[in-house]
DNA sequence: CTGTTAGCGCATTCAC
DNA sequence: GTGAATGCGCTAACAG
């Protein structure tokens, strides 16, 4: 926005075309019907001056910025990267720009960050898995229009992946294979996606009293998985459900290094289906979360909210696809 | 920006505090010195009304948006994701917002996209490895202030990783291990980072006539690597330099599946040092590109350009760190 | 120190 | 159809 070598404004075009400002505005916006000859004069003048309206001034007077914000807790997380990607592409196609805000995991700042970005945009896509419910509720009001990702609420449109069902599916798969002693490597205890897994676990446990399930607090990356491999062995479990693929790869690496065979001695399942999970040895059983599609859906929801503010909030839960691969097999006798 | 339930403006605050608009503006911006009593009245009025100035109106009058744009060819590329992350964090700390623009690999649209985003921001960080030189040159002029990433130019500040030196280091490493027949799996022939590798290769070849180097057009992902594994074997090379880690993992997977031992039968080196490269078996020799740091440096360069437009362009080339791991070993007899 | 005035660049009433 | 005002919300001269 440095108007360094004095930018060309609508007035310059008007002068060059010998018309009024309003006429220029009209032809450039395709409004009203203006004399063809004049219109042509304006168009060539604009072209020669390489003129285009200032988005800023336009935004101020029109009350919309053609921009939406997306706030995420961590741009380093592949899930949010994919969501951002899908969102950015979809919004871009519709002529909208995207402002990103990374709260750097500081939950306290999340709300003010969201507010700040909201004021420079027409709406915000909120990824705030760890924000507490009260803060979320009041945020939703001040952020509107807002669409919430991966988190249930009745006060705003929601798009998300049904982690719970997918996780449950993996549980049943292991059960069918004969596993009765399972261990779950949990991620961040305060995240909603961890809660979804825990919920699936609880429901499964209630329905299958014969299965013993242990939870080991772990983390979300390869190193965390590697770190708890010892605990996993000590637990005597025949199958391990990792919080995600990275964790699964971490345990798998150490387990194999220690001489265990997968899945003969122990089965391992991940979550997320990162590209590399089909290239580990053995290949990894996991669930494919459609994060990019989620981003695209988030845009659709936002577009709806933008055009019809009074429309009732919708919820759009996508079911992850479970990929059964080599890392899970029959429980050892 | 929907001012739906009529937003509170500076006039409301002024009215409530019984002062003029300018006074409100002054205290809220810490300008000039205003009567303490008045200042206090204004502050409480603003607080009670939950007022904060419209960034839009502010931008229009101040001529700056407190926002910078970053345009990348593909948000799906980990390199750009990391750059974005580093940039976003650094800019955020300085009170700046970040607008992302994904050109979706359409080189033609890149320039207009960059222009469009530039008008809504104070500057742009340009990642355009495939844009041709002419387009780049003229873009730099119309985008200023602009900082260019991973691409040499004298017309703008540059930050980048010295791919060439790092790649060269890996070449020498393999040479010391006795390898004399190498194969390079190239990425996108038109990308600048592929060019850097090719340049290193050429220089090395010139200095070492005893080494035979073959190039196999490949790609940039795991699948591409897997696809060319056959060609690699047929080439009779004792070492393969992959365009990046994903490609390396792809070849490595298929090679091992075919019964080849790594590094005993053939050495494999990657590039990028993605987190998982230290967990493959064998662990992968590669070079760690400091993309996040690059993002941070890009912000620093942008901040300089923002504050002093007449400062001479600087170039900041970071040297990737080569990580020698298990996938490379002595050449077989 | 404080209030009044004049724009920032544009879209849009309203008169002609 | 077209041009002359009015205002979006705010900051920065400019006077008092």
């Amino acid at each position: 926005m440095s108007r360094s070598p004095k930018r060309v404004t609508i007035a310059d075009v008007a002068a060059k075309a010998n018309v009024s400002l309003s006429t220029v505005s009209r032809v450039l916006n395709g409004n009203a019907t203006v004399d063809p000859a004049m219109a042509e004069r304006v168009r060539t003048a604009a072209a020669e001056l390489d003129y285009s309206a200032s988005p800023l001034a336009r935004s101020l007077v029109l009350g919309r910025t053609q921009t939406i914000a997306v706030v995420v807790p961590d741009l380093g997380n592949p899930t949010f990267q994919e969501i951002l990607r899908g969102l950015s592409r979809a919004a871009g196609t519709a002529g909208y720009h995207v402002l990103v805000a990374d709260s750097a995991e500081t939950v306290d700042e999340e709300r003010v960050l969201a507010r700040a970005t909201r004021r420079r945009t027409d709406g915000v896509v909120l990824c705030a898995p760890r924000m507490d419910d009260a803060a979320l509720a009041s945020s939703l009001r001040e952020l509107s229009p807002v669409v919430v990702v991966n988190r249930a609420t009745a006060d705003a449109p929601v798009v998300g992946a049904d982690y719970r069902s997918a996780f449950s599916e993996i549980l049943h798969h292991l059960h069918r294979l004969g596993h009765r002693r399972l261990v779950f490597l949990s991620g961040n205890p305060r995240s909603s996606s961890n809660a979804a897994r825990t919920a699936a676990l609880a429901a499964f446990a209630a329905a299958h009293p014969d299965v013993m399930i242990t939870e080991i607090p772990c983390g979300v990356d390869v190193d965390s998985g590697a770190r708890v491999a010892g605990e996993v062995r000590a637990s005597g479990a025949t199958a391990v459900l990792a919080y995600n693929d990275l964790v699964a790869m971490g345990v798998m690496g150490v387990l194999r290094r220690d001489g265990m065979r997968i899945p003969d001695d122990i089965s391992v399942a991940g979550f997320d289906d990162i590209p590399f999970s089909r290239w580990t040895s053995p290949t990894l059983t996991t669930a494919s979360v459609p994060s990019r599609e989620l981003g695209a859906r988030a845009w659709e929801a936002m577009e709806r909210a933008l055009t019809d503010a009074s429309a009732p909030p919708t919820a759009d839960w996508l079911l992850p696809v479970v990929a059964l691969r080599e890392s899970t097999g029959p429980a050892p006798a």
Side-chain angles (χ1 to χ4, degrees), chain A residues 71-75 101-107 109-111 113 127:
Chain A
V71 1
V72 300
D74 177 17
L75 269 179
D102 181 347
S103 69
E105 299 280 10
T106 46
V107 189
E109 295 295 328
E110 219 157 39
R111 187 175 166 186
L113 216 198
C127 307

Side-chain angles (χ1 to χ4, degrees), chain A residues 150 159-170 271 286-291 293-294 297 315-323:
Chain A
N150 272 339
V159 305
D162 186 355
Y163 292 91
R164 180 171 169 170
S165 295
F167 201 74
S168 179
E169 221 177 287
I170 294 182
F271 209 94
T286 183
S288 178
V289 180
S291 299
E293 175 67 15
L294 226 57
R297 299 287 184 104
D316 193 2
W317 293 98
L318 307 185
L319 187 59
V321 175
V322 173

Side-chain angles (χ1 to χ4, degrees), chain A residues 168-189:
Chain A
S168 179
E169 221 177 287
I170 294 182
L171 277 167
H172 283 97
H173 164 63
L174 291 173
H175 189 256
R176 276 193 302 276
L177 287 174
H179 295 276
R180 294 298 178 269
R181 289 181 66 104
L182 311 176
V183 51
F184 169 55
L185 307 182
S186 59
N188 186 310

